[in-house]
Amino acid sequence: MFIYIYFMPEDLKTFSDESLIQLYKKHTDTKYIGELYKRYSLLIYGLCYKYFKNAEDAKDCLTEIFELVIKKAQTQEITFFKAWIYTVSRNYLLRKLERQKPIENVETEFFSEIFMENEDDRSLYNKEKNLDLLQQALSNLTDVQRTCIELFYYKQKSYQEVASITGYDLNKVKSAIQNGKRNLKLFMEENKNQNG
């Protein structure tokens, strides 16, 4: 029995990602997630570093993400682990970035940049009222548009950085930002007209 346990970690290397997930779900033994950690920690660390540009923050995020994976893997249906963990990680990192920013200041700058391009747009700008409307407008965008807008304006990433972080091609990023910006402005204008 001791020999079987001793050699078990070596045996895990031959299992597919999906087999390891199934074993984890069945036995709730974190050694199966541990093997997946060995396989994907470098990839996820790289993603964390892209978002935070800091080795210590990236390491912390990597640990937090795998703690999340331990919980989520028990209940979620996972057909392709690599794609699943990438999505879980990206969503976690975006939420973490949002929590760290002083949102009101960022929103004020963002709002000013989008809506104060000419004199007519200045009538739209009323800080107390419109920051709430901006949140509503953002929630009405498609996921692609919202993600690209938030990274480009809120996180001040370049087009190329947004493409790298999201995995979207550069043209899709530019289109999403342009269309998202137009949709935000339309939403704000319609809301302004409805409220007199």
Side-chain angles (χ1 to χ4, degrees), residues 2 4 12 24 33 39 41 48 66 73-74 124 139-140 142 150 159 165-166 181 184 196:
F2 176 76
Y4 174 74
L12 291 181
Y24 173 64
I33 297 293
R39 295 179 190 184
S41 58
C48 295
F66 270 90
Q74 270 296 316
L124 284 171
S139 70
N140 284 336
T142 66
E150 286 174 349
Y159 287 120
I165 289 168
T166 60
K181 186 174 167 179
L184 287 171

Side-chain angles (χ1 to χ4, degrees), residues 94-105:
L94 282 171
R95 283 193 303 273
K96 189 173 177 75
L97 274 175
E98 283 174 15
R99 288 194 300 269
Q100 288 185 352
K101 281 279 187 178
I103 291 297
E104 187 173 307
N105 292 342

Side-chain angles (χ1 to χ4, degrees), residues 166-183:
T166 60
Y168 305 139
D169 69 51
L170 197 57
N171 287 335
K172 184 171 184 176
V173 167
K174 289 180 179 179
S175 175
I177 290 170
Q178 183 180 358
N179 292 334
K181 186 174 167 179
R182 187 185 66 245
N183 290 339

Side-chain angles (χ1 to χ4, degrees), residues 18-56:
E18 289 68 33
S19 296
L20 289 168
I21 286 293
Q22 290 309 314
L23 286 165
Y24 173 64
K25 285 183 182 218
K26 184 175 179 182
H27 301 291
T28 62
D29 189 332
T30 55
K31 70 184 173 194
Y32 302 112
I33 297 293
E35 176 60 29
L36 291 166
Y37 178 87
K38 288 179 196 171
R39 295 179 190 184
Y40 292 102
S41 58
L42 195 58
L43 172 74
I44 302 307
Y45 173 81
L47 184 65
C48 295
Y49 193 84
K50 274 185 192 177
Y51 278 75
F52 286 93
K53 310 289 187 202
N54 175 294
E56 286 307 309

Side-chain angles (χ1 to χ4, degrees), residues 1 7 36 43 57 62 70 87 96 105-106 115 124 153 161 168 170 173 175:
M1 185 67 174
F7 286 109
L36 291 166
L43 172 74
D57 287 343
L62 177 64
I70 286 169
T87 302
K96 189 173 177 75
N105 292 342
V106 173
F115 298 107
L124 284 171
Y153 285 104
E161 286 174 319
Y168 305 139
L170 197 57
V173 167
S175 175

Side-chain angles (χ1 to χ4, degrees), residues 44 47-48 51-52 61 64-65 68-69 72 76 82-100 142-144 146-148 150-151 155 165-168:
I44 302 307
L47 184 65
C48 295
Y51 278 75
F52 286 93
C61 288
E64 291 162 9
I65 285 166
L68 189 62
V69 165
K72 284 182 174 282
Q76 292 190 0
K82 186 176 182 179
W84 178 82
I85 194 172
Y86 184 87
T87 302
V88 166
S89 302
R90 189 181 65 188
N91 291 343
Y92 175 81
L93 292 166
L94 282 171
R95 283 193 303 273
K96 189 173 177 75
L97 274 175
E98 283 174 15
R99 288 194 300 269
Q100 288 185 352
T142 66
D143 288 343
V144 172
R146 184 169 52 256
T147 298
C148 292
E150 286 174 349
L151 286 169
K155 319 302 177 203
I165 289 168
T166 60
Y168 305 139

